[in-house]
Amino acid sequence: MKYLFLLFVFIFADNSLAQDKNQAQIFWNNLKEHCGKAYEGKLDESIKNDSFSGKKLVMYVLACDENTIKIPFYVGADKSRTWVLTLEGDRIKLKHDHRHEDGSEDAITQYGGISTNTGSDKLQFFPADQETRDLIGYAATNVWWITLDESIFSYNLKRIGTDNPAFNVYFDLSNPVEAPEAPWGWE
């Protein structure tokens, strides 16, 4: 009986601790486990994008702190893109930081959105925010999403209400690669 009671206490305590963290926080903590690691990715087979097709795609979870995760996304030799995730209470914000080779900001940068709810521990959605709409009018209907599980991280984009196919790139988390050089603007 004593062991049954201890088992009950352990299960109840474990479940109550899990309920203390919202789904966004669990997603966040799982992503932070990859800090310092780089992974090679592949475009979804349906994607035909001259800027990305045939190039080596690498994500590098370069910087993590309590409220910010920065993930440079390399497309061949192009080191201009960084996904910046910010934990804001029980929501996650995604911004795209675009830089020129000299480190200066691109004219189109800092666009993205914030999750509308806590999402799930494996999926976060980011509809375009007002700043994005003001900066890039045609992107007002953008929705980005990131999936994360034990083996795959995916970055995705769909422009709602258009015939444009979604953009999807998948990274194999089971096979870290050598970390690339710092992205533009980080030197």
Side-chain angles (χ1 to χ4, degrees):
M1 189 69 164
K2 177 180 169 184
Y3 294 108
L4 186 59
F5 174 75
L6 289 174
L7 180 62
F8 174 77
V9 168
F10 176 75
I11 291 170
F12 179 78
D14 188 46
N15 284 339
S16 68
L17 290 174
Q19 291 173 0
D20 287 345
K21 291 186 178 170
N22 67 46
Q23 296 298 297
Q25 185 68 55
I26 295 169
F27 179 93
W28 186 263
N29 291 341
N30 290 339
L31 182 55
K32 281 179 70 173
E33 290 180 17
H34 297 279
C35 201
K37 297 177 185 170
Y39 304 96
E40 191 165 347
K42 295 186 187 286
L43 288 176
D44 186 273
E45 292 177 3
S46 67
I47 304 299
K48 306 298 181 225
N49 184 317
D50 292 338
S51 301
F52 292 77
S53 296
K55 296 183 180 163
K56 185 175 182 178
L57 306 175
V58 175
M59 66 174 269
Y60 181 15
V61 188
L62 180 56
C64 304
D65 64 32
E66 186 177 340
N67 295 315
T68 306
I69 299 175
K70 294 182 179 180
I71 307 172
F73 173 44
Y74 302 83
V75 179
D78 184 338
K79 302 186 288 182
S80 65
R81 300 168 180 86
T82 299
W83 301 318
V84 180
L85 297 164
T86 308
L87 185 62
E88 297 184 351
D90 64 353
R91 306 285 195 269
I92 299 174
K93 179 170 65 176
L94 167 68
K95 288 292 183 169
H96 298 78
D97 185 344
H98 287 262
R99 304 281 171 160
H100 295 287
E101 198 164 352
D102 67 2
S104 63
E105 283 194 339
D106 191 89
I108 306 294
T109 190
Q110 306 307 323
Y111 59 90
I114 191 164
S115 58
T116 57
N117 59 39
T118 61
S120 84
D121 63 333
K122 296 185 182 340
L123 174 67
Q124 293 289 316
F125 281 98
F126 310 96
D129 59 17
Q130 187 62 44
E131 183 179 5
T132 299
R133 197 269 171 240
D134 293 344
L135 181 65
I136 319 166
Y138 63 84
T141 62
N142 279 10
V143 176
W144 296 270
W145 67 98
I146 294 174
T147 66
L148 175 66
D149 63 29
E150 296 77 28
S151 59
I152 299 291
F153 172 102
S154 74
Y155 167 88
N156 311 273
L157 164 65
K158 175 67 179 159
R159 189 162 291 133
I160 305 300
T162 71
D163 292 333
N164 295 343
F167 175 85
N168 315 94
V169 62
Y170 303 94
F171 298 89
D172 180 1
L173 300 178
S174 67
N175 188 24
V177 298
E178 184 177 335
E181 296 176 2
W184 297 340
W186 285 57
E187 287 80 24

